[in-house]
Every structure is written in structure tokens, then in C-alpha cells.
Amino acid sequence: MRAAGVAKDLLILPAALVRECDYHSASCRLEEVRTAAARAHADAILVVNFATDTDEFVNPLGALYLTIIGMWLAPGTHRNALTIADGMLLDNRNEYLYAFARGEGESKSVRPIAFADTQAVIAESRVEALSSFGRAFIAQASQLRVANAQ
């Protein structure tokens, strides 16, 4: 964001500054982030949310899992993950929306059950979603220019 000329300084808020919210309140999380950003004297905040859905199933080769060798050799286990990352850059004082973007990432794996790793597939889809989000966000936010940015 500094290279794009959008911000002079970038601060990542520690989780300890943001109080936990009750799950019944939809607006509580943003208000708590804004309060924490105000404590850190941040002029604007970038809020990014991730949502990941996974799908796991066995194809007909999974019948070979009844044998010990089949568990190691038969590619019968599918792991699919789809992640959506969306976020916005918001003025912390007056809630003015500077920029927003959305990115998607998808990852698939077909492996023997002995090597099937759902967490690796999820991590790949999140990295891809964050990269896609970053490109879209920088494209929109680069239209903003910070006064006296160097």
C-alpha cells in the first residue's frame, strides 16, 4: 500500500486491542475494530474478511482403501476448498468508504487417503484469495493519493 501511494504508514492492530463480541451483534466487530484503531491513532482501517468452504469426498477408487496398499497408492480422495476474501478501507473518524474489493481462491487435490491434507488445500485457496483480493484492492485504492506521500 505504501508503494501504491495509498498510505504513509501501515500498522497491524494486535488482537489484544480488539475486544470480543457477542455473536448476536452484527455491527459489534466493526465498532470494536474502529475503537482499537482509534486507540492506536489510526486515521483509516483496512478490514479483510475470509470465508472458506470445503468439500471432501471419495471417488470409486476409494474402494481400494480396504487394502493397506490402496490407502497409500489409490488416488481416491478429493479435497476442494473455495475461499472468498473481501475487505474495505474505511476512514476511522467519519466512516467514509475509500475503497473495497473482493477476491476468490480455489484449490483442489486428488490424492490417496494417506496423503490427503485438507488444511494444505485450505491454505492454498486462502493464499490465492488474498493475492486476488490484493490485486483488486490495490487497483482501486491506487486511485487515492496520500497528501505528501513519499
Side-chain angles (χ1 to χ4, degrees):
M1 292 192 45
R2 284 186 210 124
V6 176
K8 286 193 240 180
D9 292 322
L10 188 63
L11 168 73
I12 298 175
L13 288 176
L17 281 181
V18 183
R19 288 190 303 170
E20 292 296 320
C21 290
D22 185 14
Y23 68 92
H24 294 293
S25 176
S27 64
C28 173
R29 183 72 179 159
L30 182 58
E31 290 303 317
E32 291 300 328
V33 168
R34 289 186 63 226
T35 301
R39 283 188 207 121
H41 304 285
D43 294 328
I45 55 175
L46 172 63
V47 179
V48 182
N49 296 304
F50 291 95
T52 302
D53 187 30
T54 60
D55 187 21
E56 303 172 1
F57 60 94
V58 177
N59 65 26
L61 288 175
L64 295 174
Y65 292 163
L66 294 173
T67 68
I68 301 227
I69 286 238
M71 294 174 66
W72 295 89
L73 298 177
T77 303
H78 293 256
R79 301 283 192 256
N80 303 332
L82 173 66
T83 299
I84 297 174
D86 66 352
M88 62 182 172
L89 182 62
L90 193 67
D91 189 299
N92 199 34
R93 291 177 298 251
N94 60 14
E95 295 186 25
Y96 180 78
L97 179 64
Y98 290 119
F100 62 93
R102 178 181 176 183
E104 292 185 12
E106 187 175 8
S107 182
K108 297 180 180 187
S109 173
V110 180
R111 305 185 62 130
I113 196 165
F115 302 110
D117 185 7
T118 303
Q119 293 305 316
V121 175
I122 290 172
E124 288 176 24
S125 73
R126 286 186 173 211
V127 166
E128 187 179 324
L130 187 58
S131 177
S132 173
F133 167 79
R135 286 189 302 272
F137 183 80
I138 291 297
Q140 188 178 48
S142 64
Q143 297 173 10
L144 304 170
R145 293 288 179 222
V146 175
N148 301 323
Q150 296 177 5

